[in-house]
């Protein structure tokens, strides 16, 4: 049979929404696109105003859409209403620019033609995907949306989640049918916090939808804000899978160089010198060892592994890569202990200053940072640890890490410096002046190799790096 859904009103006019003629025998296969509207007349609601959702909301608003930003966190919404950038990647001016409203009132969802869901998708204590936020968002959106709405999920999920988790939540809460009364798409987020060269408009956007007509509509919407263009995936499952594969690949490559680093450390060979030499070959891929934290690389491989194992295949390489990268904090702590021993320091009397506590350079986000695991490992040896980070919130660090946190950088009284997260500001330090301020015969553990070993040794440090 064919079903035509009627128009709905948006904003304060009687503008017609898209009308589709659908064959719903297979859940809604589009046969004909009846009307082509001006997408910039649409109202868009972004659900979840974190490091993915907020830039998206601002991007749509700056492209002259009417945007409704919805989040359950009253503190976040309050700061946004006051015109404050809560991510650090935009600006206060950007938050205030364009036709955009921030609210904790879910009823605004009913005003939207498009609802984009950008809620967190963490893993639980057993490394299994936790899609409770997606399910909850689906229930909220479903309870408020009106017929004709298109819902796009951007949260990272395992293949099949949009159909298995989001759609049932939307249908149950709305009493509507996907593909007949409302429409669904998936577009994996590719946000890179702290990287101004790869913002929303600069990175190709993968888009997918439940049928070709909805795909055309969603692709047109994203093409209007993404200068790099869009890639139309042949299915929602392909788009879901591509996201987890992107980060599983990075996890695997970083695990390889981390394992090399640990192996060469036992051999007494400089791993980074080896990588620089190998990198002279034209087809060698340039990855460097380091702590692997954040919301994507340490998480997404588990989504892939979960779905794969559910269907009967054990992805051993994916899991092994995770094991290797999860072992690096202990290895960094071990490097620090060995460096203190070489300096003839008594561990229980030693003080180590950790520079950089966030999960990556240039950002203040300490969630999913692996530095706290290094701190925990050092504490097991009764080493006194303090920290400093020019981006992270000091109170949040104290609560999360349980260490002394400096508000003004000082090296006095410390036996070693552990450069864990190489913020650009740390690369400008005068090593000679730093060594002079430290206790005698100090150590420098330079995780990412920010400094040249010869410079550190000349400054008077016992130097170690991955």
């Amino acid at each position: 049979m064919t079903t035509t859904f009627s128009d709905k009103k948006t904003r304060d006019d009687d503008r017609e929404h898209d009308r589709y003629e659908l064959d719903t025998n297979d859940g809604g296969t589009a046969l004909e696109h009846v009307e082509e509207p001006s997408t910039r007349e649409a109202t868009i609601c972004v659900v979840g105003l974190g490091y993915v959702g907020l830039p998206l909301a601002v991007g749509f608003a700056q492209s002259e859409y009417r945007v409704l930003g919805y989040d359950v966190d009253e503190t976040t919404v309050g700061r946004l209403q006051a015109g404050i950038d809560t991510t650090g990647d935009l600006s206060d001016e950007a938050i205030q620019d364009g036709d955009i409203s921030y609210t904790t009132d879910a009823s605004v969802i009913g005003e939207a033609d498009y609802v984009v869901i950008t809620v967190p998708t963490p893993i639980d204590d057993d490394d299994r995907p936790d899609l409770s936020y997606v399910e909850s968002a689906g229930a909220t959106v479903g309870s408020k949306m009106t017929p004709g709405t298109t819902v796009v999920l951007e949260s990272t999920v395992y293949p099949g989640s949009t159909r298995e988790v989001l759609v049932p939540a939307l249908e149950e809460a709305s009493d509507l049918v996907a593909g007949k009364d409302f429409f669904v798409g998936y577009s994996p987020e590719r946000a890179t916090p702290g990287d101004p060269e790869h913002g929303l408009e600069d990175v190709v956007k993968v888009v997918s939808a439940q049928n070709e007509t909805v795909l055309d509509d969603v692709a047109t919407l994203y093409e209007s804000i993404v200068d790099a263009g869009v890639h139309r995936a042949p299915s929602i499952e392909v788009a879901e899978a591509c996201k987890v594969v992107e980060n599983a690949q990075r996890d695997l490559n970083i695990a390889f160089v981390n394992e090399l680093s640990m192996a060469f450390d036992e051999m007494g060979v400089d791993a980074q010198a080896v990588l620089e030499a190998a990198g002279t070959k034209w087809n060698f891929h340039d990855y460097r060892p380091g702590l692997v934290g954040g919301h994507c690389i340490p998480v997404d491989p588990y989504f892939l592994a979960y779905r794969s194992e559910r269907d009967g295949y054990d992805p051993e390489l994916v899991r092994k890569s995770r094991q290797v990268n999860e072992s690096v904090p202990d290895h960094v702590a071990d490097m620090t202990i060995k460096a203190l021993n070489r300096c003839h320091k008594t561990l229980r009397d030693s003080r180590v200053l950790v520079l950089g506590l966030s999960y990556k350079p240039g950002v203040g986000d300490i969630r999913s940072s692996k530095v706290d695991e290094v701190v925990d490992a050092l504490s097991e040896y009764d080493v006194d640890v303090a920290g400093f980070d020019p981006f992270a919130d000091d109170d949040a660090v104290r609560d999360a890490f349980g260490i002394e946190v400096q508000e003004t950088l000082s090296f006095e009284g410390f036996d070693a410096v552990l450069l864990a997260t190489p913020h650009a500001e740390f690369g400008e330090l005068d090593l000679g002046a730093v060594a002079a301020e430290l206790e005698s015969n100090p150590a420098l553990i330079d995780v990412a190799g920010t400094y040249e070993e010869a410079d550190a040794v000349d400054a008077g440090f016992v130097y170690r790096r991955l």
Side-chain angles (χ1 to χ4, degrees):
M1 70 176 184
T2 60
T3 301
T4 303
F5 71 80
S6 60
D7 315 321
K8 66 174 182 177
K9 294 183 180 181
T10 60
R11 304 191 74 171
D12 55 359
D13 58 26
D14 294 329
R15 181 191 63 80
E16 290 190 344
H17 187 61
D18 292 26
R19 298 175 68 243
Y20 302 102
E21 219 168 74
L22 300 172
D23 179 355
T24 59
N25 291 331
D26 62 352
T29 301
L31 295 180
E32 181 182 358
H33 190 181
V34 178
E35 185 177 350
E36 185 69 31
S38 172
T39 57
R40 278 181 171 77
E41 295 177 356
T43 295
I44 301 168
C45 181
V46 177
V47 176
L49 299 174
Y51 74 96
V52 174
L54 186 59
L56 190 65
V58 169
F60 279 122
Q62 290 178 339
S63 296
E64 300 182 359
Y65 291 94
R66 179 192 180 216
V67 178
L68 307 167
Y70 168 74
D71 200 293
V72 297
D73 190 317
E74 293 182 358
T75 300
T76 295
V77 171
R79 295 182 68 194
L80 292 172
Q81 289 173 339
I84 300 171
D85 173 21
T86 54
T87 66
D89 281 335
L90 302 168
S91 67
D92 292 349
E93 291 75 15
I95 299 304
Q96 305 162 24
D97 191 19
D99 187 0
I100 183 168
S101 301
Y102 304 101
T103 183
T104 57
D105 181 5
S107 67
V108 301
I109 293 170
E111 303 176 29
D113 303 290
Y114 300 91
V115 178
V116 184
I117 298 175
T118 64
V119 295
T121 49
I123 53 174
D124 63 21
D125 292 339
D126 296 319
D127 297 330
R128 295 165 60 87
D130 176 4
L131 300 187
S132 60
Y133 293 99
V134 172
E135 191 170 14
S136 177
T140 299
V141 171
S143 69
K144 305 299 181 182
M145 71 180 184
T146 53
T149 301
T150 297
V151 181
V152 181
L153 179 63
E154 286 212 5
S155 305
T156 300
V157 293
Y158 58 80
S161 299
T162 302
R163 298 184 196 273
E164 297 172 7
V165 178
L166 179 62
V167 168
L170 291 166
E171 290 183 328
E172 182 177 356
S174 66
D175 234 0
L176 302 175
V177 178
K180 174 183 176 183
D181 304 312
F182 69 92
F183 306 93
V184 177
Y186 180 80
S187 179
E189 59 90 359
R190 282 178 164 172
T192 309
D195 185 353
E197 295 182 2
H198 296 93
L200 174 65
E201 67 277 8
D202 306 312
V203 180
V204 173
K205 201 82 169 72
V206 175
V207 298
S208 64
Q210 64 191 120
N211 60 50
E212 288 297 325
T213 302
V214 181
L215 178 60
D216 286 342
D217 187 38
V218 172
T220 299
L221 180 70
Y222 279 108
E223 283 171 342
S224 68
I225 63 169
V226 179
D227 294 340
V230 305
H231 173 84
R232 302 183 184 206
S235 71
I236 288 176
E237 287 74 18
V238 167
E240 291 168 327
C242 87
K243 170 61 178 178
V244 292
V245 166
E246 290 169 14
N247 287 313
Q249 182 191 60
R250 293 171 66 196
D251 196 44
L252 190 152
N253 283 315
I254 297 170
F256 174 62
V257 293
N258 273 333
E259 189 165 64
L260 288 179
S261 175
M262 289 183 274
F264 286 128
D265 187 45
E266 294 297 322
M267 302 178 201
V269 176
D270 186 339
Q272 295 213 24
V274 172
L275 293 173
E276 289 173 7
T280 60
K281 190 168 188 288
W282 61 270
N283 60 352
F284 187 82
H285 292 257
D286 185 21
Y287 284 86
R288 296 300 164 127
L291 296 166
V292 183
H295 310 284
C296 293
I297 301 178
V299 174
D300 294 1
Y302 291 119
F303 281 75
L304 178 61
Y306 170 80
R307 176 59 199 268
S308 180
E309 290 174 345
R310 197 183 77 177
D311 288 359
Y313 181 77
D314 180 17
E316 295 182 37
L317 191 57
V318 172
R319 288 208 173 274
K320 183 60 179 177
S321 297
R322 280 281 73 235
Q323 292 171 11
V324 170
N325 285 334
E326 287 294 309
S327 72
V328 174
D330 283 336
H331 180 65
V332 171
D334 185 60
M335 287 170 48
T336 306
I337 296 302
K338 290 179 178 177
L340 288 169
N341 284 333
R342 282 188 58 190
C343 295
H344 307 292
K345 304 288 185 178
T346 302
L347 295 182
R348 67 171 59 90
D349 296 327
S350 297
R351 300 192 71 212
V352 174
L353 177 62
V354 180
L355 299 183
L357 304 163
S358 61
Y359 81 90
K360 66 179 289 188
V363 302
D365 194 346
I366 61 171
R367 297 170 299 169
S368 301
S369 172
K370 293 299 179 181
V371 181
D372 65 329
E373 295 183 18
V374 178
V375 170
D376 289 343
L378 289 173
S379 297
E380 291 182 6
Y381 290 91
D382 294 325
V383 175
D384 184 20
V385 180
F388 173 80
D389 192 299
F391 294 93
D393 180 81
D394 293 338
D395 290 334
V397 173
R398 291 186 186 99
D399 291 341
F401 287 42
I403 60 174
E404 172 193 342
V405 179
Q406 293 185 352
E407 296 183 5
T408 302
L409 183 57
S410 172
F411 298 96
E412 186 175 353
F414 289 95
D415 299 283
V417 173
L418 169 57
L419 179 50
T421 305
H423 296 304
E425 290 79 356
F426 297 143
E428 300 172 0
L429 292 173
D430 182 331
L431 292 183
V434 172
E437 193 175 341
L438 292 163
E439 295 294 306
S440 61
N441 198 26
L444 173 59
I445 300 86
D446 181 11
V447 174
T450 297
Y451 305 107
E452 294 293 333
E453 180 175 8
D455 293 338
V457 172
D458 288 345
F461 284 103
V462 169
Y463 181 82
R464 297 292 300 272
R465 67 183 182 189
L466 282 178

